[in-house]
Each structure stands twice: as structure tokens, then as C-alpha cells.
Amino acid sequence: ARMGRTLVELYYDVISPYSWLAFEVLCRYRHIWNIDLRFRPAFLGGIMQQTGNKPPAMLPKRGEYMLKDMKRMAKYYQVPVHMSADDFQRIMGTSSLTAMRFITAMDMTNPQYLEPLSREFWMRFWSQHEDISQPESILAVAQQAGLSAELSQKTLEMVSSPPVKDRLKETTAEALKHGAFGMPAVVAHYDGKPHLFFGSDRLELLGSVIGE
């Protein structure tokens, strides 16, 4: 981090709509706040498994509330998340593992594409309600994000490589070490220690803690 700037890490997974909200809002705040924002793609499935957490919609009343909450949040933050009750099944039936490995590979090789690429995955899954788990879907997302066909193909070939798998595992383990039990997990390194904030609705507290 540059002198006097607070390092803020965003641990996220593109299967998580709340992660999209936190991502967009932090992207806006980094121009106003004295922070260095670092994107940390991790695997939500791994975090849920390790902590014994369950998706919110497993509790019907919570699922009902989540639909209303997401509608209000999307409108408030002006992020085009479109969620319906059918999406709970869609999330359960979709693994984000390959997508998050693809994003991780991009972070390792061409980090300048990390932000637009991540955004396009959310756009495809949460705005257009299309698949993000199959290779052809992933290549379509990469194209939308401005990647050449050659780079996309090369990155897709990396998803099964040990270095990429290990990096995603390591980042997920780091999120767990900071106390994460879901996504998004925002970690601010301030006053010599990490401060964990869970969710996209704690950003004013984040600001307060880091003096913004």
C-alpha cells in the first residue's frame, strides 16, 4: 500500500449477488477514500463447507426477505441485479469453481482485466440470467470483458493447472483465516491489524473504522 493509504481487500465470488454490490460500491469509494482496493477472488463453496454455513434461502423466511432486500439494495446502489425466487434453485444448481479459477488465472497473468472480467461474470449471471459454469459461457464472458480470443483460450487452459487451483485455495484459506463465513468479506488493514466486515451493508462502518 502507498504511504498513508489503507489496504482494503475484497474477497468475493461471482455467484454471490451481495459481492457484486460490495464490489461496485468499493470501486466508487476508492476514488474518494484514501484506500488501496485489492480484489481477492475466492471460492464461496469452500468457505460455506469449511464453516458449516448454509445459503440464506435454505430458510424460507430468509429467502423471502432476501428477494426484497436485494431489490432495494440494487435500486439504492444502481447495480442491475435482477433476482427472483427461481434464482435460489439456479444458484444451488451452479458451481462457480471453474469461473473463479478462470478469474484467478487472469489475476495471476493479466491483472488489468480482473475488474472488467469479474463485473461481466456478475452481469451474465445476475442481470442476464445466463450460465457461467460451462467453458463456452466463460469464453463469452471473457469476450464481453474485452479479452482477445487467444488470451481467453489460453486462460481457460490454465483453470485445471495446479498453480491456479492452489492460488484459489490459498486465497479462500486467507479469507477463512480472517474469520470469513460467507461473501463478500471485506478486510481493512488498519492500525496494524485486519478488520473483517461481512456483507455489502457494512461499508459505512468500514469507513468509520478507517477514518473515512
Side-chain angles (χ1 to χ4, degrees), residues 19-33:
S19 289
W20 190 12
L21 297 174
F23 175 89
E24 295 298 357
V25 177
L26 286 170
C27 280
R28 293 167 200 173
Y29 283 0
R30 73 178 159 191
H31 302 295
I32 307 161
W33 287 359

Side-chain angles (χ1 to χ4, degrees), residues 182-203:
M183 296 274 192
V186 182
V187 179
H189 298 268
Y190 188 74
D191 246 0
K193 57 179 183 284
H195 302 259
L196 171 73
F197 299 87
F198 171 68
S200 53
D201 56 352
R202 290 291 181 266
L203 299 174

Side-chain angles (χ1 to χ4, degrees), residues 13-17 44 90-91 94-96 100 122 125-126 132:
D13 186 317
V14 293
I15 201 87
S16 154
L44 180 57
R90 217 161 59 93
I91 301 173
T94 302
S95 169
S96 62
M100 293 317 296
W122 277 303
F125 194 75
W126 285 110
I132 56 163

Side-chain angles (χ1 to χ4, degrees), residues 119-145:
R119 183 174 286 119
E120 288 301 337
F121 270 106
W122 277 303
M123 281 295 290
R124 186 175 170 92
F125 194 75
W126 285 110
S127 216
Q128 296 150 358
H129 288 205
E130 290 184 43
D131 172 71
I132 56 163
S133 62
Q134 298 304 313
E136 57 274 21
S137 308
I138 290 171
L139 290 174
V141 170
Q143 188 184 358
Q144 280 298 119

Side-chain angles (χ1 to χ4, degrees), residues 47-209:
I47 286 181
M48 301 294 266
Q49 198 181 359
Q50 292 287 318
T51 58
N53 195 354
K54 304 254 186 304
M58 301 276 283
L59 189 67
K61 281 289 171 208
R62 205 174 158 195
E64 271 173 45
Y65 176 78
M66 191 179 170
L67 287 177
K68 291 175 194 159
D69 186 50
M70 189 48 74
K71 204 170 184 173
R72 289 188 292 220
M73 295 279 272
K75 189 178 174 189
Y76 180 74
Y77 286 133
Q78 298 289 294
V79 176
V81 181
H82 303 302
M83 196 186 226
S84 68
D86 309 344
D87 286 322
F88 297 140
Q89 285 309 112
R90 217 161 59 93
I91 301 173
M92 298 295 188
T94 302
S95 169
S96 62
L97 185 58
T98 308
M100 293 317 296
R101 282 179 181 162
F102 187 86
I103 291 168
T104 299
M106 191 57 65
D107 187 25
M108 291 166 77
T109 54
N110 292 274
Q112 71 275 22
Y113 288 117
L114 185 58
E115 184 185 326
L117 180 67
S118 301
R119 183 174 286 119
E120 288 301 337
F121 270 106
W122 277 303
M123 281 295 290
R124 186 175 170 92
F125 194 75
W126 285 110
S127 216
Q128 296 150 358
H129 288 205
E130 290 184 43
D131 172 71
I132 56 163
S133 62
Q134 298 304 313
E136 57 274 21
S137 308
I138 290 171
L139 290 174
V141 170
Q143 188 184 358
Q144 280 298 119
L147 275 74
S148 70
E150 188 189 4
L151 179 58
S152 306
Q153 195 55 51
K154 207 169 84 181
T155 310
L156 189 61
E157 283 159 19
M158 288 175 69
V159 297
S160 52
S161 73
V164 170
K165 288 180 174 178
D166 289 347
R167 165 71 83 89
L168 184 59
K169 277 185 195 142
E170 280 158 23
T171 309
T172 305
E174 268 175 51
L176 285 161
K177 192 187 78 195
H178 286 309
F181 51 89
M183 296 274 192
V186 182
V187 179
H189 298 268
Y190 188 74
D191 246 0
K193 57 179 183 284
H195 302 259
L196 171 73
F197 299 87
F198 171 68
S200 53
D201 56 352
R202 290 291 181 266
L203 299 174
E204 70 278 24
L205 283 179
L206 162 69
S208 168
V209 165

